[in-house]
Amino acid sequence: MTDQSTTASDPFSGFFKRGEVWFGIGLLMILTGLIFPLPPFLVDIGLAISITFAVLILMTVLFIGKPLEFSSFPTVLLIATLIRLTLNLGTSRLVLTYGNEGTAAAGHVVESFASLVMGGDFIIGVIVFAILTLVNFVVITKGSGRIAEVAARFTLDAMPGKQMAIDADLSSGLINEDQARKRRKELEDESSFFGSMDGSAKFVRGDAVAGLVITFVNAIGGIVLGTFRHNMPILQAADTYVRLTVGDGLVTQIPALLVSVAAGLLVTKTNVQGSTDKALFNQLAGYPMALGMSSGMLCVLALLPGMPFIPFALLSALSGFTCYMVIQQAKNRVSDQLTTDNKNKPATVAEEPIAKSLSIDMIRLELGYALLSLINSEAGQRLTDQIKGLRKQLAGDMGFIMPAVRIQDNLQLPPNSYVLRVKEIEAGRGDLRPGMLLVMDPRGQTITLPGEATQEPTFGLAATWIDPTYREEALFKGYTVVDPPTVITTHLTELVKDNMSELLSYSETQKLLDELGREQQKLVADVIPGQITISGLQRVLQNLLAERISVRDLPTILEGISEATAVTRNLTNISEHVRTRLARQISDANTNDVGYIPMVTLSPEWEQAFAEYVIGEGDNRQLAMPPSKLQQFITSIRQSYDRFAAMGESPVLLTSGPIRGYVRSVVERFRPSTTVLSQNEIHPKAKIKTLGQI
């Protein structure tokens, strides 16, 4: 029986232990006070609670580190406003009902405030009350309300950009999913908080207006009631009721002023980290010269005739002393930092960190010691300027950001030699003659000028090093004349174009996405990583760059990827589909100076042969043509293109779409400069000219 009764009473005991229940009861009591009259002793307790609550709010705002730590402030502000309005209404009832009995009619708290502030003269009380009301209403509430409105507006406007920044950091791997979720939650909380603060500012302003109106109505109504109902002389009625009314206004206006100051401090703290005192004092004391100049100005004011000497002199000495202490503290911090650095600094460095040996130069130019003059003279400036220009040209033409080129000397090289390395692997080398010029005959004839015969390092053409005095004669004969820095730059240009696919790293791919315009970020978010990963996008771009197709039109490439991934996940097939989306660009790049695309078509026999020798299904398809057949195809290509080269033509090879990739994989082995296009990559408006058939 005892257990049953205990069990039956448990729900009620647990019910009253819940905090939200007591909060709801307290809120109902506040709302009840708006309807039913309150006795004086209860009003005294409520006014004391109101003042304590206002002080607690102000102190909390002072000591928090950032506004979101007090995210419940709008709710607290509403409760504080309701408490003050309830007490204001309760004191108004007491003043109007029992005001004729004396100044203690509305409770001892109202009486004490009235006598303390007025000092026996109700006119003084009216003036003080008016000043406090103006300060609260005109200065603090209006300013904090405007700041809250602007902060809410700018926070909402900045949300899309911050959200995209979080998504970009998540996609690039800088943060994980949990960190991204936390940052999104903070962003949502910040938006909700400043939106609520914008509305809460209206509570503060409305509270000030309500207090002013209630005080005015109580004063007029009290004088009328005292004079006509209680037969009091008008001066006595004015003194009694105005004293009670102003006391009531002061005891409710002071908590309102404290809460208004707290709201102002909170909304002005959006960019200040740490408690308010530390943030302000650290920033004000961070400029000792300002303190020193202030001390000097106060000293001058103290010495002016008619000015009180003691206050200004004391303040001058205080600010001067503070300036001196701040400077000394700064010196001590610097000295301590140097001491710490010296202690932490190793006495001797035996060798470079091993981790430094792991770094790889994407592109490196090594020079023999006789070529160091190229980087220590005007020619060196010319060389670096040409490399900068090359990076801009590649970015504009190919949409590819060329890595920085590291230039260093190599004493193991012959004196006049240079080596170009791509990812530490030698990709090309050549010999230069500093102070001389390299001339070539574009017609392929022998150079008739005196000099040293050589071979141009980039294309292997016959050339001659000549003295600069023969420049004009060489130009007159129609020769191509270049200086040593231009030879290096030309060689570097071709090597970079041949290796663009290898130089396009994961980080560079991410950088290309980040540098897209804001209007394209929605497209990026839809495609990556949902439809393709950044690694997959990197591979597609590498496939395009390997055939020297510009990836500058990245939005069109992303649209093509989005279309292709609905059908296949094979990166080669995706790349082929993207090429069809870039048909206009590809056609324009292969149009000659006359305005048409010279092309050679693949005969139906070879088309059928390639189609028959492609084996496998789906993503496992591959070419399995017999070696004899491959050799026959290679011979046909070489004979045809040698004939067209003699005619001065460099046509593209046109195939059908399904076999284009396989034909290209064969042709690039022996003629990498030959462009292989499918019929889908020829734009409908492009002009074409068929020169022959393989």
Side-chain angles (χ1 to χ4, degrees):
M1 186 71 182
T2 306
D3 294 339
Q4 294 178 355
S5 61
T6 304
T7 305
S9 61
D10 282 342
F12 295 97
S13 61
F15 179 78
F16 286 105
K17 289 181 180 179
R18 299 172 62 181
E20 60 268 25
V21 173
W22 288 107
F23 180 80
I25 293 173
L27 188 60
L28 287 175
M29 291 176 63
I30 294 172
L31 296 176
T32 303
L34 291 172
I35 303 172
F36 300 100
L38 301 176
F41 77 92
L42 197 57
V43 170
D44 286 343
I45 295 174
L47 292 175
I49 293 175
S50 176
I51 295 173
T52 305
F53 194 31
V55 173
L56 178 61
I57 293 172
L58 180 60
M59 294 299 104
T60 303
V61 171
L62 285 176
F63 290 107
I64 61 173
K66 55 183 180 180
L68 284 181
E69 292 180 10
F70 200 179
S71 58
S72 61
F73 183 83
T75 304
V76 172
L77 184 61
L78 174 61
I79 295 172
T81 303
L82 285 176
I83 292 174
R84 286 195 303 275
L85 290 177
T86 300
L87 293 173
N88 213 338
L89 186 58
T91 52
S92 298
R93 284 196 184 98
L94 293 174
V95 168
L96 296 177
T97 305
Y98 304 107
N100 62 308
E101 298 178 1
T103 55
H108 296 291
V109 175
V110 173
E111 183 183 20
S112 298
F113 267 85
S115 61
L116 180 65
V117 176
M118 292 186 182
D121 192 344
F122 71 88
I123 297 178
I124 297 176
V126 171
I127 296 173
V128 171
F129 173 76
I131 293 174
L132 285 177
T133 304
L134 287 175
V135 168
N136 188 16
F137 179 71
V138 178
V139 180
I140 299 176
T141 58
K142 188 173 183 180
S144 60
R146 179 58 178 167
I147 293 174
E149 179 184 356
V150 173
R153 185 183 307 166
F154 279 98
T155 301
L156 292 174
D157 291 343
M159 272 195 70
K162 292 181 179 179
Q163 184 65 49
M164 286 190 293
I166 296 172
D167 295 338
D169 289 346
L170 178 61
S171 301
S172 62
L174 296 177
I175 58 176
N176 55 33
E177 185 64 34
D178 292 336
Q179 292 172 323
R181 191 179 298 109
K182 181 179 179 182
R183 288 175 57 178
R184 291 193 189 101
K185 182 65 170 58
E186 291 178 353
L187 186 61
E188 293 174 1
D189 291 343
E190 183 181 8
S191 173
S192 301
F193 173 74
F194 285 110
S196 300
M197 284 301 301
D198 183 24
S200 299
K202 305 302 187 294
F203 289 149
V204 179
R205 190 175 180 87
D207 184 23
V209 174
L212 183 63
V213 172
I214 290 173
T215 302
F216 178 76
V217 171
N218 285 349
I220 300 301
I223 294 173
V224 171
L225 286 173
T227 304
F228 295 100
R229 176 170 295 181
H230 301 293
N231 298 320
M232 297 174 62
I234 187 168
L235 291 179
Q236 182 183 355
D239 180 73
T240 301
Y241 283 98
V242 169
R243 185 183 298 273
L244 288 171
T245 302
V246 172
D248 173 29
L250 287 173
V251 82
T252 55
Q253 197 65 34
I254 289 176
L257 181 62
L258 295 177
V259 174
S260 299
V261 171
L265 287 173
L266 194 64
V267 297
T268 55
K269 203 177 182 181
T270 53
N271 293 322
V272 178
Q273 295 295 328
S275 61
T276 305
D277 60 327
K278 292 181 180 179
L280 292 180
F281 291 156
N282 288 341
Q283 293 180 15
L284 289 175
Y287 303 94
M289 291 301 298
L291 289 171
M293 294 184 67
S294 301
S295 176
M297 185 200 70
L298 291 171
C299 182
V300 171
L301 290 176
L303 297 176
L304 288 177
M307 283 288 183
F309 175 79
I310 294 178
F312 286 106
L314 289 176
L315 290 174
S316 175
L318 180 61
S319 56
F321 178 74
T322 305
C323 173
Y324 172 77
M325 293 301 297
V326 169
I327 294 175
Q328 289 300 118
Q329 289 178 1
K331 291 181 179 179
N332 293 336
R333 283 196 300 268
V334 173
S335 177
D336 293 341
Q337 184 65 36
L338 291 175
T339 303
T340 304
D341 293 342
N342 291 333
K343 289 181 179 179
N344 295 333
K345 184 177 180 181
T348 57
V349 180
E351 59 183 11
E352 290 184 346
I354 297 178
K356 190 173 182 181
S357 302
L358 299 177
S359 62
I360 294 178
D361 294 325
M362 301 297 288
I363 304 176
R364 187 168 71 212
L365 170 62
E366 298 179 356
L367 302 175
Y369 69 84
L371 301 182
L372 295 180
S373 59
L374 295 179
I375 59 175
N376 296 325
S377 62
E378 293 183 0
Q381 184 66 32
R382 178 177 175 82
L383 175 61
T384 55
D385 289 343
Q386 287 179 347
I387 292 176
K388 292 178 183 177
L390 172 61
R391 299 186 72 191
K392 292 182 180 179
Q393 179 185 353
L394 285 174
D397 294 345
M398 305 300 298
F400 168 73
I401 301 176
M402 171 183 163
V405 180
R406 183 182 179 187
I407 303 175
Q408 70 176 31
D409 62 320
N410 187 346
L411 298 179
Q412 296 179 355
L413 289 175
N416 292 319
S417 297
Y418 70 88
V419 173
L420 286 166
R421 298 183 182 274
V422 176
K423 292 186 176 180
E424 304 288 339
I425 306 300
E426 181 178 331
R429 67 166 58 212
D431 292 327
L432 302 177
R433 298 296 180 267
M436 300 182 72
L437 299 175
L438 186 69
V439 297
M440 295 162 287
D441 192 338
R443 299 177 294 272
Q445 299 178 3
T446 304
I447 304 296
T448 58
L449 295 175
E452 178 186 349
T454 186
Q455 193 177 43
E456 192 272 334
T458 306
F459 303 103
L461 304 175
T464 302
W465 288 105
I466 65 171
D467 191 88
T469 56
Y470 293 104
R471 178 194 288 270
E472 298 298 330
E473 184 178 352
L475 293 174
F476 178 76
K477 292 184 177 182
Y479 297 154
T480 301
V481 182
V482 294
D483 56 5
T486 304
V487 174
I488 296 178
T489 306
T490 304
H491 201 175
L492 177 63
T493 302
E494 292 303 314
L495 287 179
V496 170
K497 288 184 177 180
D498 290 340
N499 295 276
M500 282 188 296
S501 59
E502 291 188 28
L503 294 173
L504 182 66
S505 63
Y506 183 97
S507 60
E508 292 295 331
T509 305
Q510 180 64 61
K511 189 182 298 183
L512 291 176
L513 293 174
D514 294 340
E515 292 180 355
L516 283 177
R518 182 177 179 181
E519 64 278 4
Q520 303 294 342
Q521 292 303 321
K522 182 62 170 64
L523 172 63
V524 175
D526 289 343
V527 176
I528 296 174
Q531 300 180 29
I532 191 171
T533 63
I534 294 183
S535 298
L537 174 63
Q538 175 192 0
R539 185 57 186 164
V540 171
L541 297 181
Q542 286 176 332
N543 291 340
L544 297 175
L545 290 173
E547 299 189 42
R548 297 194 178 187
I549 296 177
S550 173
V551 296
R552 188 178 179 185
D553 190 6
L554 194 54
T556 300
I557 294 174
L558 292 174
E559 292 171 3
I561 290 174
S562 178
E563 296 170 354
T565 51
V567 179
T568 178
R569 292 289 178 173
N570 184 276
L571 295 178
T572 302
N573 295 337
I574 293 175
S575 301
E576 292 297 321
H577 180 78
V578 170
R579 290 173 62 97
T580 63
R581 288 296 306 268
L582 298 175
R584 180 189 297 274
Q585 171 188 309
I586 295 174
S587 299
D588 180 73
N590 290 281
T591 301
N592 60 16
D593 297 335
V594 185
Y596 62 84
I597 303 175
M599 63 176 54
V600 176
T601 61
L602 205 60
S603 66
E605 292 78 12
W606 281 116
E607 289 273 354
Q608 184 178 358
F610 271 92
E612 290 177 351
Y613 288 116
V614 174
I615 62 174
E617 297 294 335
D619 295 342
N620 296 320
R621 292 167 61 85
Q622 57 183 345
L623 182 66
M625 184 176 286
S628 58
K629 196 74 173 178
L630 275 177
Q631 187 59 44
Q632 182 182 352
F633 176 72
I634 292 172
T635 303
S636 300
I637 292 289
R638 280 177 172 165
Q639 291 176 351
S640 299
Y641 271 84
D642 289 344
R643 184 173 68 253
F644 294 132
M647 298 167 52
E649 294 283 359
S650 181
V652 302
L653 179 59
L654 187 68
T655 71
S656 60
I659 68 169
R660 191 210 73 85
Y662 305 108
V663 174
R664 169 64 186 172
S665 66
V666 175
V667 173
E668 69 178 347
R669 302 288 181 179
F670 62 95
R671 290 189 66 88
S673 60
T674 300
T675 302
V676 181
L677 300 180
S678 71
Q679 298 164 355
N680 297 331
E681 296 165 14
I682 304 297
H683 194 267
K685 294 185 179 180
K687 297 180 180 180
I688 60 175
K689 181 179 180 181
T690 304
L691 303 180
Q693 190 178 70
I694 303 298

